[in-house]
């Protein structure tokens, strides 16, 4: 009789424990689902409030006000994002990964996770490291626009101004600006026709580095200058209001880097350097009231990275912005992990209870038999 009672007790214990185990697992599963639903809802809310300053920096979407562009008869809107310095791996122009989502007749969104670099962009904070172009499948597009991590959640709109295409002067692009980030406007560059266009500098560039790159591009490896371009040097110096000596220092810095990286021989670097020294030596300095530069100073210019100082100043305020956007994304994932941990802990204790109860019953049965 005692064996039957003990067997029934053991069976009851196992049934009750299994029930508790199932209830605990279901409860944890519901909590995970609720956490996921709230995360989705939060993401959707950023779409509803696109362009609203309270949502800027939230989620993983950027928006384009297609109504402001006046584009008609298109089937798809695309978004092309890339790192301004040309590094990294990014989706190709107007491929599937660049297709935007229609939020309304006037508004399209692009989820930066499709670039494969969402975390990098979010962590960029106020550093102007990226460029973006929205385009249609009708060959219409906006001009290169600077973007930083804080632009996430913001909306680009067309201003109505036209900008010369930097590479092809026969084309003009439509200027665009962010509703809440005026520091991230059209990218500032020197075009192929020697015009300064745009207003926003990418991090790592300054007015000085723009002209240094321009001169390096239009002086060949044998030291021959393309005078149709280099004859505009003084005009560019005056427009940019920069020192010819500062430009030569940056040219020297860049040449040293090319030689060190073995992308240029020392002989080529010397030829380019000599020609550019001659060009800048004939210029006047607008930062010194139009004073003629000293050729000896140009010839002995110290190699200096002008962009380092400018990047340092902008980086100072970016750290808190980067952490803030990071914090919100990490917060939702850690919430999900805490539910998983709770589930595993509950399962462990329920299982331990079942084993202890079974061992107790087994011990009593054996003792009774003896």
């Amino acid at each position: 009789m005692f064996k039957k009672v003990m067997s029934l007790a053991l069976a009851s214990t196992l049934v009750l424990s299994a029930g508790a185990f199932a209830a605990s697992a279901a409860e944890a599963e519901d909590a995970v689902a609720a956490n996921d639903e709230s995360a989705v809802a939060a993401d959707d809310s950023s779409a509803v409030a696109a362009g609203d300053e309270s949502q800027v920096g939230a989620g993983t979407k950027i928006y384009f006000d297609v109504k402001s562009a006046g584009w008609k008869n298109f089937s798809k809107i695309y978004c092309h994002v890339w790192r301004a310095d040309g590094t990294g791996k990014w989706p190709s122009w107007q491929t599937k990964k660049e297709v935007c989502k229609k939020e309304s007749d006037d508004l399209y969104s692009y989820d930066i996770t499709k670039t494969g670099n969402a975390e990098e962009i979010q962590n960029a904070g106020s550093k102007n490291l990226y460029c973006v172009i929205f385009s249609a499948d009708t060959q219409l597009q906006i001009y290169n626009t600077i973007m930083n991590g804080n632009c996430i959640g913001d909306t680009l709109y067309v201003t109505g101004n036209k900008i010369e295409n930097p590479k092809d002067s026969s084309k003009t692009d439509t200027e665009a600006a962010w509703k809440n980030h005026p520091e991230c406007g059209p990218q500032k560059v020197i075009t192929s026709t020697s015009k300064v266009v745009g207003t926003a500098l990418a991090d790592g560039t300054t007015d000085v580095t723009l002209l240094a790159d321009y001169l390096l591009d239009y002086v060949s490896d044998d030291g021959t200058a393309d005078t149709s371009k280099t004859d505009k040097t003084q005009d560019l110096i005056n427009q940019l209001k920069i020192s010819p000596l500062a430009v030569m220092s940056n040219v020297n810095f860049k040449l040293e880097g090319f030689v060190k990286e073995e992308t240029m021989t020392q002989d080529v670097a010397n030829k380019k350097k000599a020609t550019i020294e001659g060009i800048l030596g004939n210029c006047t300095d607008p930062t010194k009231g139009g004073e003629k530069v000293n050729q000896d100073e140009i010839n002995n210019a110290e190699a200096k990275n002008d962009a380092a100082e400018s990047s340092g100043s902008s980086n100072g305020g970016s750290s808190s912005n980067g952490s803030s956007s990071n914090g919100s994304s990490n917060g939702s994932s850690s919430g999900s992990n805490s539910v998983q941990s709770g589930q595993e802990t509950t399962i462990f204790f329920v299982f331990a209870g079942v084993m202890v109860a079974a061992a107790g019953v087994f011990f009593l049965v054996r003792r009774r038999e003896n």
Side-chain angles (χ1 to χ4, degrees):
M1 182 66 180
F2 182 75
K3 285 183 182 179
K4 288 181 181 179
V5 172
M6 290 299 104
S7 296
L8 285 171
L10 177 59
S12 300
T13 300
L14 291 171
V15 169
L16 289 171
S17 298
F21 175 87
S24 172
E27 191 177 278
E29 204 170 295
D30 289 343
V32 172
N35 186 72
D36 289 344
E37 283 174 13
S38 65
V40 170
D43 184 64
D44 288 345
S45 70
S46 67
V48 174
D52 182 344
E53 197 165 3
S54 64
Q55 288 298 325
V56 174
T60 55
K61 291 181 179 180
I62 55 175
Y63 300 85
F64 179 58
D65 181 354
V66 73
K67 183 181 179 181
S68 68
W71 295 349
K72 305 290 183 184
N73 304 318
F74 58 83
S75 301
K76 290 180 181 177
I77 296 293
Y78 298 90
C79 181
H80 186 59
V81 179
W82 72 100
R83 198 176 174 102
D85 64 4
T87 60
K89 187 176 180 181
W90 303 84
S92 299
W93 178 260
Q94 290 195 348
T95 51
K96 186 177 180 181
K97 286 185 177 180
E98 295 196 338
V99 175
C100 296
K101 177 183 176 183
K102 183 178 181 178
E103 300 286 348
S104 69
D105 288 342
D106 301 337
L107 193 70
Y108 279 74
S109 69
Y110 180 68
D111 192 332
I112 60 169
T113 58
K114 293 165 78 173
T115 67
N117 298 290
E119 186 177 354
E120 175 191 323
I121 297 172
Q122 288 171 320
N123 291 342
S126 63
K127 296 178 186 175
N128 295 346
L129 297 175
Y130 309 95
C131 288
V132 58
I133 293 176
F134 280 94
S135 65
D137 54 4
T138 54
Q139 297 187 338
L140 293 170
Q141 68 177 68
I142 64 171
Y143 176 73
N144 304 3
T145 309
I146 293 293
M147 181 179 78
N148 61 35
N150 295 336
C151 292
I152 298 170
D154 205 352
T155 301
L156 267 176
Y157 68 95
V158 168
T159 65
N161 297 328
K162 295 289 185 180
I163 294 181
E164 179 183 313
N165 185 292
K167 301 297 182 186
D168 185 351
S169 60
S170 66
K171 296 178 181 178
T172 56
D173 297 329
T174 304
E175 180 187 80
W178 297 97
K179 286 188 175 180
N180 299 293
H181 290 86
E183 78 280 8
C184 294
Q187 184 183 20
K188 190 172 187 178
V189 296
I190 301 174
T191 71
S192 58
T193 58
S194 310
K195 294 176 184 172
V196 178
V197 298
T199 57
L201 286 162
D203 267 34
T205 63
T206 67
D207 290 340
V208 167
T209 69
L210 291 184
L211 187 54
D213 287 333
Y214 176 85
L215 291 172
L216 287 166
D217 285 343
Y218 292 115
V219 173
S220 67
D221 288 355
D222 64 2
T224 303
D226 179 349
T227 54
S228 67
K229 310 295 183 183
T230 59
D231 283 354
K232 307 284 182 61
T233 300
Q234 184 67 66
D235 291 340
L236 290 168
I237 285 173
N238 293 340
Q239 283 186 66
L240 297 169
K241 297 180 176 61
I242 54 177
S243 160
L245 182 60
V247 175
M248 194 65 232
S249 291
N250 195 243
V251 166
N252 288 338
F253 173 81
K254 290 176 181 292
L255 288 173
E256 284 185 2
F258 296 149
V259 172
K260 187 176 181 180
E261 294 162 7
E262 298 184 349
T263 56
M264 184 181 290
T265 65
Q266 187 64 60
D267 181 55
V268 169
N270 290 341
K271 288 175 180 177
K272 279 182 173 277
K273 173 182 165 68
T275 301
I276 294 173
E277 284 175 346
I279 294 168
L280 293 172
N282 286 318
C283 292
T284 58
D285 189 343
T287 67
K288 295 182 178 179
E291 178 184 308
K292 181 79 168 63
V293 300
N294 184 308
Q295 184 68 61
D296 288 338
E297 287 184 351
I298 292 290
N299 293 345
N300 296 295
E302 178 188 359
K304 185 179 177 184
N305 182 13
D306 187 76
E309 294 178 5
S310 114
S311 296
S313 60
S314 68
N315 290 349
S318 66
S319 152
S320 62
N321 293 330
S323 352
S324 151
S325 91
N326 238 359
S328 66
S329 91
N330 290 344
S332 60
S333 78
S334 65
S336 171
N337 290 339
S338 67
V339 174
Q340 295 289 350
S341 299
Q343 180 181 350
E344 290 165 4
T345 303
T346 304
I347 290 170
F348 173 79
F349 281 113
V350 168
F351 181 72
V354 171
M355 294 302 293
V356 169
V361 171
F362 180 75
F363 174 75
L364 290 173
V365 170
R366 293 286 297 170
R367 187 174 181 185
R368 179 68 178 170
E369 285 177 347
N370 293 336

